Amino acid sequence: MAGSIGFMLLAGSLAGDLFLLCFFIALILAFGHLVFIALPIYLVLVDRWPLRMWNAGLAGFLIGAIPMSLLGLGGRPDLEALLSAILWFGGSGLVGGLAFCAVRGGDIVVPDGAE
């Protein structure tokens, strides 16, 4: 969603049908990204370890890097450009994962046998 708003700011127009179209497309893509990539990775990592900064960062990096890796599988991609894109989007995901952990806080770990 931030991408569509940023695109419209660069285009110089926040009003009109084009903004709504870009916004709804970005909303659909973000929801698909959440459901099919982010939620499964989060559930797997939290099932294995309590939420900490390192695994939130790892999950964020994977959530950002996986779509770029999948897009690079088609054809004969330039390896340097693909690695650059994976690092760029993975780094963005890393920042998002760390922000998620900072906002959500750590999981409460209950010792075995305690109620």
Side-chain angles (χ1 to χ4, degrees):
M1 291 185 294
S4 65
I5 294 171
F7 175 74
M8 295 310 292
L9 285 175
L10 288 176
S13 169
L14 275 178
D17 296 334
L18 183 60
F19 172 73
L20 289 176
L21 177 68
C22 290
F23 183 76
F24 285 124
I25 290 173
L27 186 66
I28 291 167
L29 290 175
F31 183 74
H33 191 94
L34 168 78
V35 169
F36 295 112
I37 298 172
L39 187 61
I41 289 175
Y42 171 75
L43 292 175
V44 166
L45 288 177
V46 169
D47 184 47
R48 297 184 191 282
W49 305 287
L51 182 66
R52 302 283 187 256
M53 291 298 265
W54 71 270
N55 61 355
L58 173 66
F61 184 85
L62 291 174
I63 290 165
I66 285 174
M68 272 297 119
S69 336
L70 295 177
L71 288 175
L73 291 178
R76 298 183 85 109
D78 179 23
L79 186 60
E80 184 178 333
L82 179 63
L83 288 176
S84 174
I86 288 172
L87 288 175
W88 178 260
F89 287 99
S92 298
L94 173 74
V95 171
L98 294 176
F100 172 77
C101 185
V103 170
R104 184 175 181 280
D107 286 344
I108 299 171
V109 179
V110 178
D112 291 335
E115 293 190 27

